[in-house]
Amino acid sequence: MIFAAVLAAAGCSGGGGDDAASSPSATTTAAAPATTPTASPTPAVKPSDIYPTNAAGCHPNAKWSTAKAVDWVDWGQVGTPALGPGEVRLPKSRPGFDGPLCDRVTVQVQYWRVNYRPSSATSAADPLSREVNYDYALQPLKRSELHIDGRKIHDVKPPKGFASAKASPCDGFLEAIYVGAPLKNRELPTKISTGNTIVGDDVTFPTKRVVDYHVFAPTAPQLCDDNGIPTASPAPSGYPSSGLGLSTPSYPAFDLTPKS
């Protein structure tokens, strides 16, 4: 009986050593580190938290300056593709990336009609130049005041007829987005340049509160009198005569200054 027990013990020991040397599981374990990196998908890169949120799930902004509010609206809110002429959409923030904010920011979306008339400097300008000067007068049309924190979408519609295809030869439009209270008279534009398709619009506001703006030019400002009323109908071709036997486009680049 003792001899049998010794043989049994020896058999178990020998079998265990053979299995350890030839075990397929040992081979699989050794090969795993070499294959795992290629089999795993590349982890997605999380965007930087420009406006990180706190434990309450919002970004503290109670002590923000006007410049910080303008930056947030400009960077995180404005820039959404336009839905139509004059339409504005302020979207929701991406949590932890650009908000939401703990305190709401006041945003104004305002629209004006811009009436054009010849400038006193126009007659002295080079008649061959495409740069034409005009005076203008602003007529407020609509202002929408919003209080946004990035938690929901805000859509603003322009006033009826804004920037329509039937705009007057002497009347254009201006749209502006800014933060804080309504603009005071001293903060209204001091210069408007319609530029062209390459340069684009350029409006001078004597305030840092304006986030974005857009100019919609009139159809034929060169036909307007001193009262901003058209004196003739635009030429059918869209290229009215300059009076020198030359033709100029109906949308030249021009600068405007307020009518005193």
Side-chain angles (χ1 to χ4, degrees):
M1 293 295 293
I2 295 174
F3 178 73
V6 171
L7 289 178
C12 290
S13 175
D18 291 343
D19 289 345
S22 61
S23 172
S25 62
T27 303
T28 302
T29 302
T35 58
T36 299
T38 56
S40 301
T42 302
V45 178
K46 183 180 179 181
S48 300
D49 294 339
I50 308 300
Y51 296 95
T53 55
N54 58 15
C58 57
H59 182 80
N61 64 306
K63 297 182 179 180
W64 267 10
S65 63
T66 297
K68 284 286 293 182
V70 168
D71 285 344
W72 180 76
V73 176
D74 188 21
W75 187 83
Q77 300 296 306
V78 177
T80 303
L83 307 178
E87 294 188 25
V88 174
R89 166 166 288 182
L90 302 173
K92 291 177 62 176
S93 297
R94 288 160 288 182
F97 185 51
D98 57 349
L101 304 180
C102 297
D103 294 279
R104 294 178 179 179
V105 172
T106 300
V107 175
Q108 311 282 347
V109 181
Q110 190 162 357
Y111 304 89
W112 295 267
R113 184 186 302 276
V114 186
N115 182 250
Y116 297 68
R117 62 282 305 272
S119 170
S120 57
T122 300
S123 58
D126 181 355
L128 298 181
S129 173
R130 291 186 59 196
E131 191 74 21
V132 184
N133 295 316
Y134 293 88
D135 290 333
Y136 69 88
L138 289 175
Q139 176 192 355
L141 296 178
K142 177 184 177 182
R143 179 179 55 82
S144 297
E145 180 172 305
L146 310 171
H147 301 279
I148 66 174
D149 53 16
R151 286 185 170 86
K152 66 178 183 179
I153 296 173
H154 296 269
D155 284 331
V156 180
K157 299 290 185 181
K160 186 177 181 180
F162 181 83
S164 67
K166 297 180 180 179
S168 163
C170 304
D171 289 334
F173 300 91
L174 172 64
E175 163 203 343
I177 302 170
Y178 56 95
V179 302
L183 291 177
K184 300 180 183 300
N185 287 336
R186 65 174 183 271
E187 296 177 303
L188 294 176
T190 56
K191 183 178 180 181
I192 301 175
S193 176
T194 60
N196 51 50
T197 55
I198 298 177
V199 178
D201 306 333
D202 184 16
V203 181
T204 301
F205 286 90
T207 177
K208 301 296 185 182
R209 298 197 286 127
V210 177
V211 179
D212 195 21
Y213 58 80
H214 190 67
V215 178
F216 299 85
T219 58
Q222 71 281 352
L223 300 179
C224 305
D225 62 17
D226 291 343
N227 297 314
I229 300 174
T231 58
S233 300
S237 63
Y239 290 85
S241 172
S242 65
L244 298 174
L246 302 175
S247 60
T248 56
S250 58
Y251 287 99
F254 50 83
D255 292 335
L256 294 84
T257 53
K259 185 70 174 178
S260 58

